[in-house]
Structure formats: C-alpha cells, structure tokens
Amino acid sequence: QQQVKQSPQSLIVQKGGIPIINCAYENTAFDYFPWYQQFPGKGPALLIAIRPDVSEKKEGRFTISFNKSAKQFSLHIMDSQPGDSATYFCAARGANQAGTALIFGKGTTLSVSS
Amino acid sequence: DAGVIQSPRHEVTEMGQEVTLRCKPISGHNSLFWYRQTMMRGLELLIYFNNNVPIDDSGMPEDRFSAKMPNASFSTLKIQPSEPRDSAVYFCASSLRNLHDGYTFGSGTRLTVV
C-alpha cells in the first residue's frame, strides 16, 4: 500500500516529442503528488506537484494529469528538448498523519535526442 | 541560501570501517530526511526527523545504521561497520513541515565500500 509504481523505466524520444511517464498508487490516504527531476551528479529537484482535487496542472511545458478513481497520475513534457534528458521520479505523501514522508517511484530515465 | 549541504561528496572506505555522513538542512526547515539511492531500489527513505525528533526509522536497513539530529542545523548518518552492499548515493533533504512545498535535496554523498 505504501508503494508508488512508475513506468516506463526508460524512454527515448526525439526533440519536440511528448514523453509520458505514468505512476500508480494504492494508498487512498495519499493526497500530494509531486514529480522530481534529477540530473547526473545532482539531487532530485521538485518539478511540479498536484493535489487530488484537480485533474490537471500545467507549469510551462510540464503537465500532470491526475485520475483519482484510477489512482494514477502522469507527467507529460510538451515540446521536449535535449536539456530535458534526466531521470524523473514521481512521489506521493499522505497528509493526515503526524509526520509523513514522500514515497518515490523507481524513476524513469528520459533521453531526448536532437 | 546555500541549500542543503552534504559532506563528503564522495567517500571510499574499506569494509568494516565506520562511515559518517553529514547534512546541514536549510535554515528554518524543520523536517529532515535521509534517502538512499541505488539502481536496483531507487530512492529509499531511511529515516526522517521533525523538529530534531526521529519520527520514522523503519527504513533503516539494519542496526549498523544510525542517525542523529542534535540540533536544527545538523544531522549525521552513521554506518558501523560498513559493508560493500551499503555502496549507494545517500541524500539528505529538508522541508517545512505541514507545508506541501516539496523537499530540497542536497547533492548527495556517493559511498563506495570496498
């Protein structure tokens, strides 16, 4: 119940393509769903986050789609660029618990070719 | 703001030796997290603190691992004795408790136990 399952493990797209990364969860107590971006040699950095009261959130070229009934959420990267090549992690956290921590998916390595 | 500061960046040690990893969280953040990253298991939560108090250490793999947070500006993760399977990148992150602002990660410590 505490897992967040992420797919695919790796993804290769051409510049301008729209990579989509999917995540699924079981714990209905989760109510905060961020995505993190990690470049080699660096720590993960918060990219965008969503709460389950909305079905979509956009920030620049990055969009989260959220399906509460299916317990799934996904990251879409519009007009992908070579600089977007990185590892992406989805995560989830419950809110109504005294002190909770993010549970991360296993990551998706994205390569955008020019 | 210098962000979350971890030291050392790289550590190579022999099996059986004691290893101490250090973390300075962002000033004002009152939650601190230790994660371990490997290719096989992704980002695993080891332990986290709220207001310097350990809340959940269920992710600490064995008694060989211990973590302390003696004050709001410093935390250590100690492995004694170290084993080759402890080789990984260890990340420290901090956040404001009860605010879904996400975590700020340090750059990590790459530990190699030979």
Side-chain angles (χ1 to χ4, degrees):
Chain A
Q1 269 227 337
Q2 287 297 95
Q3 285 187 331
V4 178
K5 295 183 179 180
Q6 183 172 346
S7 63
Q9 187 174 3
S10 62
L11 193 53
I12 300 173
V13 299
Q14 290 192 338
K15 180 181 174 182
I18 305 176
I20 301 173
I21 305 170
N22 301 298
C23 283
Y25 64 97
E26 289 294 326
N27 189 343
T28 55
F30 288 155
D31 82 334
Y32 173 66
F33 303 89
W35 285 88
Y36 281 75
Q37 180 188 54
Q38 184 181 31
F39 292 106
K42 303 292 186 182
L46 179 63
L47 189 61
I48 184 173
I50 197 168
R51 299 190 189 185
D53 53 345
V54 296
S55 60
E56 185 176 276
K57 182 174 182 179
K58 291 184 179 180
E59 286 186 5
R61 295 183 294 107
F62 300 92
T63 299
I64 299 178
S65 297
F66 188 85
N67 185 330
K68 186 175 182 178
S69 61
K71 292 185 283 187
Q72 295 175 347
F73 59 110
S74 60
L75 176 70
H76 301 231
I77 305 175
M78 305 302 178
D79 187 27
S80 58
Q81 301 296 313
D84 297 328
S85 298
T87 300
Y88 293 82
F89 294 92
C90 62
R93 182 174 66 190
N96 296 321
Q97 302 169 43
T100 59
L102 283 173
I103 305 298
F104 285 86
K106 289 194 173 181
T108 297
T109 300
L110 171 66
S111 295
V112 181
S113 61
S114 54
Chain B
D1 190 346
V4 175
I5 300 173
Q6 290 187 248
S7 65
R9 286 298 312 273
H10 302 274
E11 177 80 37
V12 179
T13 190
E14 291 187 346
M15 181 175 62
Q17 296 298 306
E18 177 180 297
V19 175
T20 299
L21 312 182
R22 297 173 175 80
C23 176
K24 177 179 169 56
I26 290 175
S27 177
H29 282 190
N30 51 18
S31 293
L32 183 140
F33 309 84
W34 283 100
Y35 284 86
R36 177 171 67 176
Q37 185 175 32
T38 61
M39 289 293 293
M40 289 296 295
R41 301 175 70 90
L43 275 164
E44 299 176 277
L45 176 70
L46 299 177
I47 185 171
Y48 69 96
F49 297 83
N50 281 341
N51 296 317
N52 313 338
V53 176
I55 302 299
D56 183 357
D57 65 354
S58 60
M60 297 285 262
E62 300 171 29
D63 291 345
R64 299 184 295 106
F65 285 69
S66 62
K68 294 182 179 179
M69 192 165 185
N71 56 61
S73 60
F74 184 66
S75 177
T76 60
L77 177 68
K78 185 178 294 186
I79 308 172
Q80 166 62 22
S82 58
E83 297 182 3
R85 59 192 168 126
D86 301 331
S87 298
V89 180
Y90 291 81
F91 286 103
C92 174
S94 70
S95 77
L96 288 171
R97 187 186 177 191
N98 293 330
L99 292 178
H100 288 177
D101 289 342
Y103 297 173
T104 301
F105 280 81
S107 294
T109 294
R110 179 173 294 277
L111 173 64
T112 303
V113 183
V114 298

